[in-house]
Amino acid sequence: MRKLLWTLAIVGGVQAVPAAHAADPQVDELKAQLQQALKTIEDMQRRVETLERQQQAQPAPAAAQAPAAAPAGALVIAPRSVADDNAPDKDKAHVEFYGQVMLDAIYDNKRMNPQWSATLRPSQIPVNCPGDAGCGKDGATTFSVRQSSLGFKSFIPTTYGEIKTDVSFDLFGTDGGTHVHWLNVWGELGKFGVGQYYSNFMDIDVFPNTIDYWGPSGMMFLRNPQLRYTPFDSNGMKVALSLEAPNSALDTGKLTEVDPAFGAGVQPWNRTPDAIASFRFDGDWGHVRAAGMVRQVGYQFVNTPGGNPSGHQTGYGANLSGAFKFFGGKDSLTWQAAYGHAIASYANDGGVDLAPNALLRAETVPSTAWLLYYNHAWNAQWTSAIGYSEHRQSNTDGQLGSAFRKGSYASANLLYNLQKNITTGLEYIWGRRENKDGASEPDSRLQFSTKVTF
C-alpha cells in the first residue's frame, strides 16, 4: 500500500509537467532524478518488507511479567489475613463483617433503675422507696438503639490449622448507657482459644428467642477473658477446659452498720483464675451439656498498709443445660439448672459471691438458677417464645434485710420475619425482685422492636 501511494504521487508529479516543455533539457534532467528517486524508494520498500518478514518469523517476545498473584486473603480490609504459602485451602482465607441495626420502643408499666431502663433486670427494680434507684412515678417510655452491633470474623488457613477470630461490640454500655460495649474479642487455632468469649460455664444455645436485651435472670451468662483448650471434639461430643478471669462480687452487709468506713474499705482480692470443665453431646434431637467450676473468691481491706483483714473462700458450681427439638427442629424446649457457692458472678442477673455470716466473717453465698423456655415457629415468618426463669440466693445471717434474695423473670412474644434480614415484633416482659426481709416489687413492660441484620 505504501509503495502504491509513493508511486502514484511520483507519477502524478511527472505527469503534471506541461507537455510544451517535454523537449526542455531541464525537464529531462528532472525526469531522470525522479526515476532515480523512485528506484531508491522501491529499494527502501523492499528492505522494509524484508525486515517485516523477519520479525514475523521470530517468536514474539515474552509478555511483561504480570505482578505475582497476591496471596489469598482479604487484602483490602485486612492486610494480615493472608494464608501461609504451604497451607491447605489457602484460597479460602477471608474476612467477614456482620451486625444489626435495632430499635427498641419500650413502655414500662412501673419503675426501673433509670440506668437500666432499656432492659428488664429484676435486680434493678426499686423495692424500698424512697431510697432505691428508680423510685418515683409509675410509667415510662424508652427508645433505645443499644442492641445495635457490629462484628468482624476472619478465617486464615495456616500450616498449623485454620486461625479463626471474632471481634464484636454493641452499644449497651456496662453502666446501662449508650456506649461501645465489647462482646467477643476472640481468636482460636485448632484446639486452643484465647481472648474474651462466652464462658465455658454457660450454654449460649439455651438463650431463648426473645428481643429483651438482658434475658432470663437465672441463666448462667458471662463473656469472660479466658484461655481455653478443647482436647476432644468428635462424633457430636466435645470436652473443653478453661482458665477464666476471676471476679468476687462482695456484700459487706452488717459490716457497714458496725463501721461504715470499714465496710467501704473492703474490696475483692482475686489471686487465681477460675477453673472450668465442660462436656457437650449433640444429636438430631438436640443437645445436653454439663459444666463444673472451682474458683477462689477473696476480699481485702484496702485502707490499711498490709491490706488486712483479708482472706479467701473456695467457690464451686455445676450447670446442666440443653435443648430438645420438636417438629423437625422447628420448635425447641431450652432449659438450664445451675447450683453452687459463689457462682453469682456467672449468673445473668443479681446476687453476690461473698457476704458476712453471723460472726461477720466472709462466707460463700449459695445460688440456685434455672430457666425453661419453649420456642415455637407458627410458620416460616411468625415465631413465638414463652418461658420463665429465676435466680435465688440463700442469704447469710450477716447480710442486711435489703439484700437481693430472688429475681424472677418471664416473657412471651410474637415476632414477624418480614424477610431473612428484617425481624419485628412485640414482647411482654415481667420481673420481680424479692429481698432477704421478704419485701418485693414487680415490674412489667411492653417492648416493640425492629431489627435489621447484615
Side-chain angles (χ1 to χ4, degrees):
M1 176 61 72
R2 283 177 289 183
K3 179 179 178 180
L4 177 61
L5 291 174
W6 278 105
T7 303
L8 290 175
I10 293 170
V11 172
V14 173
Q15 290 179 348
V17 179
H21 300 284
D24 191 333
Q26 293 182 351
V27 172
D28 292 339
E29 183 179 358
L30 178 60
K31 287 181 178 181
Q33 291 176 353
L34 291 173
Q35 290 174 354
Q36 183 62 38
L38 180 59
K39 291 180 181 181
T40 302
I41 292 171
E42 290 176 347
D43 182 62
M44 293 177 63
Q45 179 64 29
R46 285 193 296 270
R47 289 173 179 270
V48 170
E49 291 175 350
T50 301
L51 289 173
E52 289 178 346
R53 286 194 297 269
Q54 291 176 351
Q55 290 177 350
Q56 292 174 357
Q58 293 177 354
Q65 284 288 339
L75 300 178
V76 176
I77 59 174
R80 295 184 183 274
S81 178
V82 180
D84 286 351
D85 290 338
N86 298 324
D89 302 321
K90 66 179 183 179
D91 59 326
K92 294 184 179 179
H94 65 284
V95 171
E96 301 173 353
F97 74 94
Y98 63 95
Q100 66 183 29
V101 175
M102 188 166 180
L103 173 67
D104 300 325
I106 302 166
Y107 180 76
D108 197 319
N109 291 314
K110 298 195 76 175
R111 299 178 301 277
M112 176 69 62
N113 181 341
Q115 283 188 303
W116 300 98
S117 60
T119 189
L120 196 152
R121 297 184 59 184
S123 66
Q124 301 301 315
I125 297 173
V127 176
N128 298 311
C129 292
D132 290 350
C135 292
K137 290 289 188 179
D138 290 345
T141 295
T142 300
F143 277 63
S144 171
V145 295
R146 295 174 177 86
Q147 294 202 63
S148 300
S149 62
L150 182 64
F152 301 87
K153 292 182 177 181
S154 72
F155 305 86
I156 310 170
T158 74
T159 52
Y160 296 100
E162 185 177 50
I163 294 175
K164 300 177 182 179
T165 65
D166 184 3
V167 178
S168 57
F169 64 89
D170 62 19
L171 301 179
F172 215 112
T174 54
D175 61 354
T178 307
H179 314 297
V180 170
H181 169 228
W182 292 104
L183 301 174
N184 298 326
V185 185
W186 182 250
E188 63 181 52
L189 173 61
K191 298 179 179 181
F192 298 91
V194 296
Q196 177 172 294
Y197 199 59
Y198 300 114
S199 170
N200 194 26
F201 192 62
M202 65 173 283
D203 184 355
I204 186 59
D205 291 329
V206 303
F207 197 94
N209 184 29
T210 60
I211 55 177
D212 176 41
Y213 178 80
W214 214 259
S217 59
M219 181 176 176
M220 293 293 109
F221 194 119
L222 178 67
R223 290 182 174 92
N224 210 20
Q226 60 188 279
L227 299 170
R228 184 178 296 193
Y229 174 60
T230 306
F232 184 82
D233 187 0
S234 179
N235 299 321
M237 292 183 287
K238 178 186 289 188
V239 175
L241 309 172
S242 65
L243 294 176
E244 305 194 8
N247 178 45
S248 301
L250 306 181
D251 180 5
T252 56
K254 295 179 181 179
L255 284 173
T256 305
E257 290 184 338
V258 174
D259 185 347
F262 184 83
V266 178
Q267 299 293 328
W269 183 23
N270 304 302
R271 293 197 305 175
T272 60
D274 299 344
I276 302 173
S278 69
F279 171 78
R280 174 168 172 149
F281 180 72
D282 282 88
D284 295 338
W285 44 268
H287 81 275
V288 292
R289 191 178 189 275
M293 173 173 59
V294 177
R295 61 194 307 244
Q296 186 185 72
V297 289
Y299 65 95
Q300 59 183 323
F301 186 62
V302 297
N303 293 341
T304 61
N308 291 314
S310 62
H312 290 90
Q313 297 291 329
T314 299
Y316 57 88
N319 183 24
L320 302 178
S321 59
F324 300 129
K325 299 178 182 179
F326 303 101
F327 307 113
K330 294 181 179 180
D331 288 15
S332 66
L333 180 70
T334 59
W335 57 274
Q336 176 226 276
Y339 176 81
H341 286 243
I343 65 170
S345 295
Y346 286 79
N348 198 24
D349 184 58
V352 295
D353 298 318
L354 278 177
N357 58 20
L359 301 177
L360 301 185
R361 295 178 180 176
E363 182 179 296
T364 58
V365 183
S367 285
T368 302
W370 61 276
L371 70 86
L372 184 66
Y373 263 81
Y374 191 80
N375 304 280
H376 174 64
W378 301 99
N379 53 42
Q381 292 180 299
W382 293 92
T383 63
S384 290
I386 185 170
Y388 179 84
S389 179
E390 184 176 287
H391 178 201
R392 178 192 294 264
Q393 291 215 287
S394 299
N395 299 113
T396 66
D397 292 334
Q399 290 184 275
L400 297 175
S402 59
F404 173 93
R405 180 188 178 194
K406 183 174 69 173
S408 303
Y409 180 98
S411 66
N413 63 32
L414 181 62
L415 307 180
Y416 177 68
N417 298 297
L418 180 62
Q419 54 97 19
K420 65 179 183 179
N421 295 97
I422 302 177
T423 301
T424 189
L426 186 67
E427 184 166 271
Y428 174 78
I429 312 158
W430 172 90
R432 185 180 67 179
R433 171 177 172 146
E434 181 180 326
N435 290 342
K436 176 186 174 182
D437 60 9
S440 65
E441 191 68 31
D443 191 12
S444 63
R445 58 177 50 191
L446 284 175
Q447 176 171 327
F448 179 79
S449 298
T450 299
K451 177 173 64 177
V452 181
T453 61
F454 58 89

